[in-house]
Amino acid sequence: MFKISARTVLELGSELISSDTIAFYELIKNAFDARSKNGVEIRFKVVLRRNSYLRMRSKASSIASSDAYQNVSRNEQAETTASLLDLTILQLDPAADPELVKAFRDCLGTPKSVDEFLGKLDAAYRSLNTIEIADTGSGMSLEELKKNYLVIGTPSRKREVDQAIEAKSVKSPYLGEKGIGRLSAMRLGEHLKLETAKQTDTAMNRLEIDWREFANLDAMIEDVPVKAFTDGMKPSTAWSGTVLTISDLTEDWTENRLKLYAEFDFARITDPFVDQKSKPRIALLWNGSRVNIPWMDKHLLEHAHAGFKGTYRILNGEPVLRVTLEAFDLGFPHPHEIDVTNLTLPDIEGAVIGTSEAVPLSALTSVGDFDFQVYWYNRQRLARIDSIGDQRAVRELQKKWSGILLFRDGFRVFPYGDDDDDWLGLDRRAMGRSGYTLNKMQFVGHINITRTNNPQLLDQTNREGLRTTPEQQVFITLLQHVIQVLFWDFMKDVDRRHKHLPLDLGDVKAEVSKLESRAKVALSRVRKILPKGHEDVVDELQEAFAEFQDLAARAQQRIDEVEADGRQMVQMAGVGLMVEVVAHELARASESALEAIEALRGKEMPPEIRSKLDTLRIEMKSVSKRLSVLDQLSVSGRQRSEVFDLGELIEELKIGHAAQFRRHSINLNFKPPSSPVRIRVVKGMLIQILENLISNSIYWMEMRASRETRYVPIISIKIDTDPMVIYFSDNGRGIAIENQEKVFRPFWSMKEKSKRRGLGLYIARENASYLGGKLTLSSRADADTKRLHEFVLELPEGVTVK
């Protein structure tokens, strides 16, 4: 059987209660778990601040140990002691309760020596500087003090919480359940006095603990006497509640320090976004005076530049994520933009789990329901708000509330949302992006979970975040997807549609041409009516006109160059994606080749070797085909329009992907036309479109295949020649109807983070447009999945070559 040393209690307290904020948080939760009728009051009664006490103690100790003090008379020693006493009294807080100040002075008395002064100073500081945490909850009986409070890790609340989770109750009966919150008092001071009573009790039940006694290295826990007893009358016969009095304080508490804690830490212990009247009451008092805990000014939220809110629900056993994205004022003219996105199981599975299957599918449901609402600010554009103040005041207020906070049953989950905490990786992501950077300081928001709805989202015992579980990974990944993918893409889309509207260069060219004609006619008429001898005026006008024509020509040339550069950037991005894919295939084929060669070592030639060489040959042939495709995709190759057989091209792509299709058990259904379909287009661009569609299909079919044992992946390609249309479909997960157009946005993707590029379909559509055609996603939904599965590539009229 294990034996526990007394100092283990101290080790537990120091490890599990990592800060004063956490200590108060645990004690406040205990008060509300006791169903306190009037909330909780935290009363600081500080006559002599700790730093002053330590300074006086150090000074007195130095004097007591000095030869100068030891070698003088008792009268001189008394005078020195009196000086120390006077200096100490001067440092007592005049704002403290007069009776408490008097008690402190009485405790100091009139010591005759410095050693006596030190003893009285220690006694006064340790007993009369206190923090009281008081509630009017149910209180504890003497029996409950013994069986529950004095049992570290008591299971009493844990059982009731587990029963509530099992019964799927709306609310947990308790905020805390670990039975270690009582160690929080140890963090704040070396001595604890607990006074409590139930309404049915006739007297107070008391308990006193001196935590210093647990520091004895040789003592076992049972060697430290801690006894509960009954003593004294209740404040009134109907009174119930608990008062913790913590003394021998271990921190230097001042009124200014408490105000700082109130401004930030205490203001965030409960959800600041809820209505002030419905918030749990927490009162702070410094020597009898109320210290204000600020509430969030809702006018700040009303002046957000953008934001989003959403819900994650488990409906009929499957997850649904609903997000409403809004843009109010992004710094350029645009209407109030709203976009509602609904993600169902296939989308969520793709974004969170993907093909890597880092977390189990069940975690998408066991994570439970949660809600969120977040506001975004462009801090540079924050301006005066009448109800708050000038620009500086508004910026300071936004900074004060910045961060995305997590609350469970209305109480904070630490440390999420703190200044030095980047739990959603927003700052790391922002460093690698241009444009809207979305760093954590720009956000003000909250996320709400509950103990009964989210039983697997558990705090670490030391309150330093959630425990690492599959559900925690799903929870964080979902939120990151909402912010870093959906919200960021929404902002960029508004920017693209309203901030950088393309010029109608055709109209500009026509207008310039008209102006040139008018100028020529005007110059000709001026030359005719101008008196002789003044031709130099016309010559100057003619030169100015020539300069304008040259400038217009150079401007048009630059516009053409920029457009060409833009197209080339898109083409280079497309080639980059293909290089990545082909490099992956080449690496895989090389590994297969090595395996094949390794398998030949020490083997005889006949059939087995031939089999291995056949495998190697097929792999290499596949890579060779893919590399030849890549050559077609080179930027120079992509610019050439050429005549080729479309059916033959698709067959070549099929051969190029043969090894990959075989590896993933994919069937490509394509029935070549009975006669050649000769077309004239830029072959490389058409290849890029089809390659991107194939790559996209493989990912989603692979994901479905890993979940469904009887599933057979199929890609279907069909050609219609009148008009010239290519139909491309697969039987993978499909695309939600509401995302019919979103899939073509740059960087929009539902793939898992490690494989998310979001450029393939964007580049495919750009290429189709360059060819004079159009790439769309058919609105015809599949009867089984109720999602979209077919892409339609319409080529322009006149591409067919007889």
Side-chain angles (χ1 to χ4, degrees):
M1 179 176 292
F2 286 109
K3 291 186 176 182
I4 300 175
S5 66
R7 68 186 181 90
T8 303
V9 175
L10 301 181
E11 294 293 338
L12 275 173
S14 62
E15 287 294 322
L16 302 183
I17 312 300
S18 56
S19 68
D20 293 336
T21 302
I22 297 297
F24 284 116
Y25 170 72
E26 294 291 341
L27 296 172
I28 289 169
K29 284 200 307 176
N30 283 347
F32 286 106
D33 277 343
R35 309 291 184 266
S36 181
K37 296 175 284 294
N38 300 315
V40 59
E41 289 189 1
I42 302 174
R43 309 167 189 145
F44 286 77
K45 298 180 179 180
V46 178
V47 183
L48 179 68
R49 63 181 290 186
R50 179 172 175 79
N51 282 0
S52 296
Y53 157 70
L54 293 176
R55 188 164 53 250
M56 291 307 304
R57 202 180 194 293
S58 176
K59 186 181 180 88
S61 297
S62 297
I63 292 172
S65 61
S66 68
D67 292 339
Y69 174 78
Q70 297 290 340
N71 296 328
V72 299
S73 67
R74 288 186 178 180
N75 286 339
E76 290 175 306
Q77 288 182 349
E79 288 177 6
T80 301
T81 303
S83 297
L84 289 171
L85 181 62
D86 291 341
L87 188 58
T88 302
I89 290 172
L90 285 173
Q91 294 181 69
L92 300 184
D93 188 347
D97 183 349
E99 290 188 10
L100 198 58
V101 174
K102 182 180 182 301
F104 204 101
R105 295 184 67 165
D106 290 346
C107 190
L108 289 174
T110 53
K112 301 301 181 183
S113 69
V114 174
D115 287 335
E116 186 183 353
F117 167 79
L118 282 168
K120 289 180 178 293
L121 178 65
D122 287 345
Y125 174 81
R126 290 175 179 175
S127 62
L128 296 174
N129 274 0
T130 62
I131 300 173
E132 292 179 358
I133 295 98
D135 70 65
T136 53
S138 58
M140 289 176 280
S141 67
L142 185 63
E143 189 67 15
E144 287 171 330
L145 265 182
K146 293 175 180 178
K147 288 189 174 180
N148 293 338
Y149 195 85
L150 287 178
V151 177
I152 297 173
T154 177
S156 58
R157 291 181 179 177
K158 174 76 168 123
R159 287 195 182 100
E160 292 188 50
V161 171
D162 287 346
Q163 288 169 4
I165 293 171
E166 185 69 25
K168 301 187 185 306
S169 300
V170 175
K171 190 174 181 181
S172 172
Y174 296 108
L175 297 166
E177 61 190 84
K178 296 183 179 68
I180 58 170
R182 65 218 61 191
L183 298 178
S184 299
M186 182 198 309
R187 167 84 191 191
L188 301 173
E190 298 287 3
H191 189 273
L192 170 66
K193 180 174 70 173
L194 185 152
E195 301 168 283
T196 185
K198 297 182 78 68
Q199 195 170 15
T200 54
D201 288 334
T202 57
M204 296 294 286
N205 305 305
R206 300 179 186 273
L207 179 71
E208 292 201 33
I209 302 173
D210 186 345
W211 300 110
R212 294 177 188 273
E213 294 183 9
F214 290 86
N216 186 339
L217 297 178
D218 299 319
M220 303 303 290
I221 195 166
E222 61 269 20
D223 296 334
V224 180
V226 178
K227 292 184 178 180
F229 57 96
T230 300
D231 180 45
M233 299 301 293
K234 297 199 308 182
S236 66
T237 54
W239 186 89
S240 67
T242 301
V243 179
L244 301 177
T245 302
I246 300 165
S247 55
D248 197 357
L249 305 182
T250 54
E251 291 291 335
D252 180 43
W253 288 104
T254 65
E255 186 174 9
N256 284 338
R257 184 184 182 198
L258 183 58
K259 285 180 178 178
L260 287 175
Y261 266 73
E263 280 284 322
F264 189 81
D265 299 88
F266 282 100
R268 293 168 169 232
I269 280 180
T270 57
D271 191 346
F273 291 83
V274 302
D275 183 71
Q276 187 70 11
K277 294 178 181 178
S278 63
K279 286 185 66 173
R281 177 179 177 268
I282 301 172
L284 289 179
L285 294 100
W286 176 265
N287 286 334
S289 298
R290 186 74 176 263
V291 175
N292 181 53
I293 299 175
W295 50 276
M296 181 181 289
D297 191 328
K298 297 302 189 290
H299 290 100
L300 176 68
L301 305 182
E302 293 169 2
H303 286 77
H305 299 122
F308 58 89
K309 60 183 177 181
T311 60
Y312 187 82
R313 294 288 182 267
I314 310 304
L315 304 175
N316 300 319
E318 292 192 355
V320 177
L321 175 64
R322 180 181 176 85
V323 185
T324 300
L325 307 149
E326 292 187 83
F328 307 109
D329 178 9
L330 298 185
F332 50 86
H334 67 82
H336 177 192
E337 293 276 352
I338 301 178
D339 184 19
V340 178
T341 296
N342 291 286
L343 304 185
T344 55
L345 178 60
D347 303 312
I348 296 169
E349 185 183 356
V352 176
I353 299 176
T355 57
S356 63
E357 300 184 64
V359 294
L361 184 63
S362 59
L364 296 182
T365 53
S366 57
V367 67
D369 297 352
F370 59 89
D371 306 320
F372 51 89
Q373 184 160 17
V374 180
Y375 302 84
W376 179 84
Y377 299 83
N378 181 339
R379 286 180 52 80
Q380 293 181 342
R381 299 199 66 255
L382 284 172
R384 176 185 176 82
I385 300 174
D386 289 339
S387 60
I388 296 174
D390 60 16
Q391 183 188 59
R392 182 176 180 181
V394 173
R395 285 183 176 178
E396 284 299 316
L397 187 64
Q398 191 276 332
K399 181 181 179 182
K400 171 184 168 181
W401 292 107
S402 66
I404 299 178
L405 306 171
L406 177 61
F407 295 91
R408 180 188 291 107
D409 294 311
F411 280 77
R412 178 89 180 276
V413 176
F414 287 91
Y416 300 142
D418 282 350
D419 284 346
D420 56 354
D421 179 74
D422 186 23
W423 69 294
L424 294 174
L426 300 179
D427 286 354
R428 293 193 300 274
R429 181 77 170 181
M431 290 178 67
R433 276 183 166 172
S434 58
Y436 298 107
T437 55
L438 305 186
N439 61 64
K440 63 184 175 66
M441 185 174 283
Q442 295 173 315
F443 290 104
V444 174
H446 64 147
I447 302 160
N448 292 300
I449 61 175
T450 68
R451 183 67 182 91
T452 52
N453 277 337
N454 314 98
Q456 302 306 317
L457 295 180
L458 298 170
D459 289 8
Q460 296 182 44
T461 309
N462 63 0
R463 304 298 183 199
E464 291 299 319
L466 298 172
R467 296 180 191 174
T468 301
T469 63
E471 289 77 13
Q472 178 253 13
Q473 291 176 264
V474 167
F475 180 65
I476 290 178
T477 304
L478 280 168
L479 293 170
Q480 288 176 329
H481 186 79
V482 170
I483 300 170
Q484 299 174 0
V485 178
L486 300 182
F487 184 58
W488 187 77
D489 171 75
F490 168 71
M491 302 261 279
K492 294 291 285 184
D493 184 61
V494 174
D495 185 285
R496 280 191 297 271
R497 287 188 290 108
H498 297 287
K499 186 178 181 180
H500 301 296
L501 292 176
L503 292 172
D504 188 344
L505 294 177
D507 290 347
V508 172
K509 290 177 186 176
E511 189 64 28
V512 168
S513 186
K514 286 180 184 178
L515 288 172
E516 285 182 354
S517 298
R518 286 170 56 191
K520 286 178 181 178
V521 171
L523 281 171
S524 177
R525 291 180 63 188
V526 167
R527 188 178 292 279
K528 288 179 180 178
I529 63 175
L530 201 66
K532 291 185 178 180
H534 295 278
E535 291 85 356
D536 56 333
V537 176
V538 180
D539 292 340
E540 288 178 10
L541 286 172
Q542 190 75 47
E543 288 177 12
F545 178 63
E547 289 178 7
F548 164 76
Q549 286 181 305
D550 180 59
L551 178 62
R554 283 189 283 116
Q556 183 59 52
Q557 182 182 358
R558 182 58 187 148
I559 288 169
D560 293 340
E561 288 172 358
V562 169
E563 286 182 341
D565 287 346
R567 286 196 301 270
Q568 191 171 51
M569 287 300 291
V570 171
Q571 293 162 13
M572 289 172 67
V575 174
L577 288 177
M578 279 305 303
V579 167
E580 181 181 4
V581 172
V582 174
H584 179 74
E585 290 297 301
L586 182 58
R588 186 182 290 275
S590 300
E591 288 165 2
S592 297
L594 286 172
E595 289 176 9
I597 292 169
E598 283 292 327
L600 295 178
R601 288 188 178 181
K603 298 289 177 87
E604 296 293 332
M605 273 296 290
E608 193 174 350
I609 291 182
R610 284 199 300 272
S611 173
K612 295 293 183 183
L613 288 175
D614 287 343
T615 299
L616 179 58
R617 193 176 297 112
I618 292 170
E619 293 280 3
M620 288 304 167
K621 183 179 179 182
S622 175
V623 172
S624 176
K625 277 287 182 184
R626 301 298 298 282
L627 290 173
S628 66
V629 166
L630 188 60
D631 182 59
Q632 291 285 336
L633 295 173
S634 66
V635 175
S636 59
R638 289 164 60 92
Q639 306 302 318
R640 296 192 301 268
S641 178
E642 56 185 290
V643 176
F644 57 91
D645 182 353
L646 180 57
E648 189 177 293
L649 173 65
I650 294 173
E651 285 291 341
E652 287 178 358
L653 288 174
K654 183 177 180 179
I655 295 170
H657 284 275
Q660 191 179 23
F661 288 166
R662 186 171 59 255
R663 191 166 56 252
H664 294 287
S665 303
I666 295 172
N667 294 327
L668 191 152
N669 292 341
F670 172 64
K671 184 178 180 181
S674 55
S675 59
V677 179
R678 294 168 60 77
I679 60 174
R680 179 184 289 280
V681 294
V682 179
K683 187 177 183 181
M685 285 191 167
L686 182 57
I687 289 172
Q688 179 72 75
I689 295 169
L690 295 172
E691 284 282 357
N692 285 347
L693 294 176
I694 290 170
S695 176
N696 208 48
S697 291
I698 289 173
Y699 176 86
W700 293 105
M701 290 192 299
E702 181 186 353
M703 199 176 75
R704 184 173 178 181
S706 66
R707 313 288 191 264
E708 303 173 27
T709 54
R710 296 187 178 181
Y711 168 68
V712 178
I714 298 172
I715 293 175
S716 299
I717 301 177
K718 189 177 78 170
I719 298 174
D720 273 358
T721 56
D722 189 18
M724 181 60 65
V725 180
I726 301 173
Y727 297 92
F728 182 102
S729 63
D730 65 54
N731 65 343
R733 285 303 181 94
I735 297 167
I737 294 172
E738 66 184 68
N739 296 331
Q740 184 176 9
E741 281 302 311
K742 291 178 184 176
V743 294
F744 295 105
R745 292 181 186 173
F747 307 108
W748 195 94
S749 175
M750 282 291 145
K751 293 181 182 177
E752 62 188 295
K753 187 175 181 179
S754 63
K755 298 179 180 178
R756 189 180 301 145
R757 299 293 182 272
L759 285 172
L761 293 177
Y762 166 71
I763 290 168
R765 174 170 274 192
E766 287 290 305
N767 284 350
S769 177
Y770 181 82
L771 294 175
K774 183 167 64 173
L775 177 64
T776 58
L777 180 58
S778 171
S779 57
R780 187 172 67 252
D782 182 84
D784 294 328
T785 65
K786 306 296 188 293
R787 293 162 71 86
L788 309 181
H789 289 256
E790 184 179 65
F791 287 93
V792 179
L793 175 58
E794 301 175 45
L795 293 176
E797 293 182 16
V799 297
T800 305
V801 178
K802 299 297 184 182

